[in-house]
Amino acid sequence: MSTLVHYSVDGPVARLTLDSPHNRNALSTALVNQLHQGLCDASDDSSVRAVVLTHTGGTFCAGADLSEASGGDAAETVADNARQLTSLLRAILESPKPVIGAINGHVRAGGLGLVGACDIVVAGRNSTFALTEARIGVAPSIISLTLLPRMTARSASRYFVTGEKFGADVAASTGLITMAADDVEAAVSELTVEIAKGSPQGLAASKGLTTAPILEAFDRHAEALTRQSAELFVSEEAREGMLAFLQKRRPNWAVSS
């Protein structure tokens, strides 16, 4: 199996690097599983104080791997992928190590769920974000578990339905990210230096105070939203939407402007 997520440790910092350029770091089964394993490895390493989640290429994460969702065993694959994504987002939230998202590129759809799950997120000023699910006939069901606690209610109401792009400064103003930065690596390095001053127990307990209410709501709604996501992905509208996306055409249900 190809390595789609590289794991490395440098002093007190574990780095998880998404490296699947052929599909713009889409959330394929393999990438999700490898990322989950990397989080487990970081959690089990007593020398690690912080985890940095970053990427190669110009896209942090393009969202769901639509080639898997439109395959021959689509219904079963989609259901499995939905459960795996839910489990991955929960693993980021419940990790005893603070997770910092380091983004220097574009984020789409399900990739924003990873952003919402991180404790701190730094994005380059040229980064862009978009929740494009409605444009292919689905919804940000699972990732709403990590996005709604972060974003302002008004911004979520807008970007969940418009699918429009917005930049890093807007993302910071909505609460989606912590800060926009001219130099992402420098900003992340400063943060990890400060985090490394904390004890393992102190960091885990302090992070837990911020994630406890998110996890409480997460566990209350995760099953229903995971089921909703799977059902939407195998619907007729979504099949047409995904096929149109892959064929670079307008879906037949799109209204002409």
Side-chain angles (χ1 to χ4, degrees):
M1 181 182 294
S2 299
T3 301
L4 306 181
V5 180
H6 299 285
Y7 178 80
S8 62
V9 178
D10 183 10
V13 180
R15 183 173 289 261
L16 291 165
T17 305
L18 308 184
D19 185 20
S20 182
H22 73 282
N23 62 2
R24 299 187 303 150
N25 295 324
L27 296 166
S28 64
T29 300
L31 184 140
V32 168
N33 287 339
Q34 290 179 30
L35 180 51
H36 201 157
Q37 183 59 55
L39 286 165
C40 291
D41 292 341
S43 294
D44 292 340
D45 189 336
S46 61
S47 70
V48 170
R49 295 292 184 273
V51 178
V52 174
L53 175 57
T54 189
H55 62 104
T56 62
T59 299
F60 172 72
C61 180
D65 187 340
L66 298 185
S67 65
E68 289 186 348
S70 59
D73 296 324
E76 183 176 349
T77 300
V78 164
D80 288 342
N81 287 356
R83 288 190 292 269
Q84 289 167 0
L85 177 58
T86 302
S87 180
L88 172 61
L89 296 182
R90 197 181 194 288
I92 297 173
L93 289 168
E94 71 178 355
S95 168
K97 315 296 171 75
V99 179
I100 303 173
I103 300 169
N104 231 332
H106 310 302
V107 193
R108 297 291 182 268
L112 274 77
L114 300 179
V115 175
C118 290
D119 302 290
I120 303 170
V121 183
V122 181
R125 295 195 184 278
N126 292 325
S127 299
T128 65
F129 305 80
L131 287 154
T132 54
E133 285 87 347
R135 296 188 179 188
I136 62 166
V138 296
S141 305
I142 295 170
I143 64 173
S144 71
L145 293 164
T146 61
L147 292 178
L148 292 180
R150 306 292 193 190
M151 300 176 72
T152 64
R154 284 298 185 191
S155 64
S157 294
R158 174 178 177 174
Y159 294 114
F160 271 42
V161 299
T162 64
E164 63 191 305
K165 288 193 301 184
F166 55 96
D169 288 325
V170 172
S173 71
T174 68
L176 174 63
I177 68 171
T178 309
M179 68 178 80
D182 295 319
D183 188 332
V184 173
E185 283 301 313
V188 169
S189 179
E190 290 178 7
L191 288 165
T192 57
V193 166
E194 296 303 317
I195 291 171
K197 297 174 183 177
S199 76
Q201 173 180 276
L203 290 171
S206 297
K207 169 178 173 168
L209 292 172
T210 68
T211 57
I214 302 175
L215 284 167
E216 182 180 352
F218 191 109
D219 292 338
R220 192 162 59 246
H221 301 295
E223 183 177 350
L225 289 171
T226 301
R227 185 168 58 250
Q228 180 191 72
S229 178
E231 290 171 351
L232 286 171
F233 263 91
V234 297
S235 67
E236 288 302 320
E237 283 189 17
R239 287 194 186 99
E240 167 60 15
M242 287 185 282
L243 188 60
F245 177 84
L246 294 170
Q247 294 176 346
K248 295 180 170 55
R249 61 172 175 82
R250 289 170 63 88
N252 60 22
W253 40 256
V255 177
S256 298
S257 56

